Structure formats: structure tokens, C-alpha cells
Amino acid sequence: MRDGQLMNLIILDRDGTINEDRDDFVKSADEWVPLPGALEAIARLNHAGWHTVIATNQSGLGRGLFDMVALTAMHAKMNAALARVGGRIGAVFFCPHAPEDQCNCRKPLPGLFEQIGERYGVELETVPVVGDSVRDIEAAVAVGCPPHMVRTGKGALMTDAQIAQLKQRFPELQVHADLAAFAESLIQHERTARGAAGKTDSGFGRLD
């Protein structure tokens, strides 16, 4: 049996989904600032049985705006903050390339998600993807992942009309106010499914 074959996996975007996005890139640990409720939402998903990983474009590496030491420091800060609320990110998959590098791992291309599917041995059709931008949704749909958009980061800048157009383009898309709202929706759906299957949901999805 391959590692992680039985786990429930969720793929999360980083900037604009978990932490504040910046037009000039998040370049240091000091500039990495979690969005309200996002870390608690990850912890809640973890406690409810989901394994969370990140798929993120980090072209600031390829552009020379920061280096691997800075990226590692950002994720050390993230992991420490998550640990304080009882959450955990299993792994961070990132594209380090600039747009002109013509790689296959820069979203909206699907390379990062394919790496995740190979690493964990899961069928991507069962793995929700949560992101704040159109390219997150395009990458998810390209590999068959159920797509979810949050109205934070770039999603907060989209009008209701633009969201409606996106849902017409991707009828399977679900839209949530933020990562906490996504977590609540997914956990409630699982509770309903467990109830229909005659399984107990006592304490399911709680942090206390």
C-alpha cells in the first residue's frame, strides 16, 4: 500500500487563501501574515480527519525577490502558528519558476497537483482544492479535483458578476466566504454523509 493511500486529502493554495496576499509578493517571514480564522480552519479540518497540503506558485524565487532561506522561514512561521492552534500542514509543494520559464508546475498548469497525486498515491478526483484565484480553479479542474474558491485574496477583488461567470464556466465550482466557511461546509457535508451511513458524528470536526 502506498503512503497516504487511505487518507482524506485537501490541497490548499497559500497566498490569499491562508495568508494575506501582496502585489509585491510575500518575500519574508515578517510579510507572511495569516488571514483571520484560516489557521483555525486548517486545525479544524485536521481534527476532523483531513490531511492538508499546500500547492503554491512562488515565482518570487525565480524573479530573485527572495531565496529558499526566506521561503523556509515563512513556512517555519506558518507551521509554528498552526501548531499553536492544533493544526498541521503535511507538505508544501511550490513552483519556483518565473512565468517565462515555461514549466509545467506553475498554476494554472497542473504539474503541482500531479506531483501531489503521485506523492500520496491518491485519485485526484477525490481531492478538494481551495484557492482564491482563477488559476487555482483552472489547475484543479485540469486534473479533476473538486474546485473551491474563497472570497479572500484575489477572490475578494472579484465582483459577484465575475464569480457568476466563473461558475458558468466551471459548474462544479463551490464558492465560500473564506477558508473557515469552506471547512464548515465540508465538515457539515461529512456529518450528513456519516449520518446517512449510520455512523456516529459525536465530536466530529470540533477542536475542543
Side-chain angles (χ1 to χ4, degrees):
M1 183 180 299
R2 299 188 58 183
D3 181 29
Q5 191 169 358
L6 299 179
M7 70 172 56
N8 293 319
L9 190 67
I10 296 172
I11 301 173
L12 304 174
D13 174 52
R14 200 194 78 170
D15 300 335
T17 300
I18 298 172
N19 57 276
E20 294 179 1
D21 199 6
R22 295 172 60 105
D23 290 337
D24 61 346
F25 298 87
V26 179
K27 302 178 293 299
S28 68
D30 286 343
E31 292 181 354
W32 190 93
V33 179
L35 289 166
L39 302 183
E40 292 81 1
I42 293 170
R44 190 178 180 199
L45 291 167
N46 294 157
H47 281 249
W50 277 281
H51 188 82
T52 49
V53 299
I54 288 175
T56 177
N57 289 351
Q58 291 298 321
S59 68
L61 286 168
R63 301 171 195 262
L65 300 177
F66 55 87
D67 58 17
M68 278 300 303
V69 173
L71 186 65
T72 300
M74 295 177 213
H75 293 153
K77 179 180 179 180
M78 176 184 70
N79 290 332
L82 273 168
R84 287 193 290 271
V85 297
R88 181 177 183 271
I89 291 292
V92 179
F93 293 77
F94 63 92
C95 169
H97 304 108
E100 60 270 19
D101 291 335
Q102 299 182 339
C103 64
N104 185 49
C105 55
R106 179 174 167 80
K107 295 179 291 184
L109 295 176
L112 285 181
F113 295 166
E114 291 169 348
Q115 290 176 29
I116 293 169
E118 175 65 20
R119 168 65 180 82
Y120 289 100
V122 297
E123 297 294 332
L124 290 172
E125 292 81 2
T126 69
V127 179
V129 169
V130 188
D132 69 309
S133 70
V134 175
R135 65 188 176 197
D136 295 319
I137 305 311
E138 291 173 335
V141 171
V143 292
C145 290
H148 297 260
M149 172 171 272
V150 287
R151 298 294 298 270
T152 52
K154 293 179 177 62
L157 304 177
M158 298 181 69
T159 65
D160 290 343
Q162 288 173 321
I163 292 291
Q165 290 176 350
L166 195 62
K167 293 183 74 172
Q168 285 185 336
R169 182 180 170 193
F170 302 113
E172 64 272 48
L173 176 64
Q174 297 185 46
V175 180
H176 312 271
D178 52 21
L179 195 54
F182 163 78
E184 175 67 17
S185 175
L186 189 63
I187 288 169
Q188 289 297 337
H189 181 271
E190 182 69 10
R191 281 180 174 149
T192 300
R194 289 166 70 90
K199 299 177 181 177
T200 179
D201 66 350
S202 177
F204 183 80
R206 294 174 58 183
L207 286 177
D208 56 342

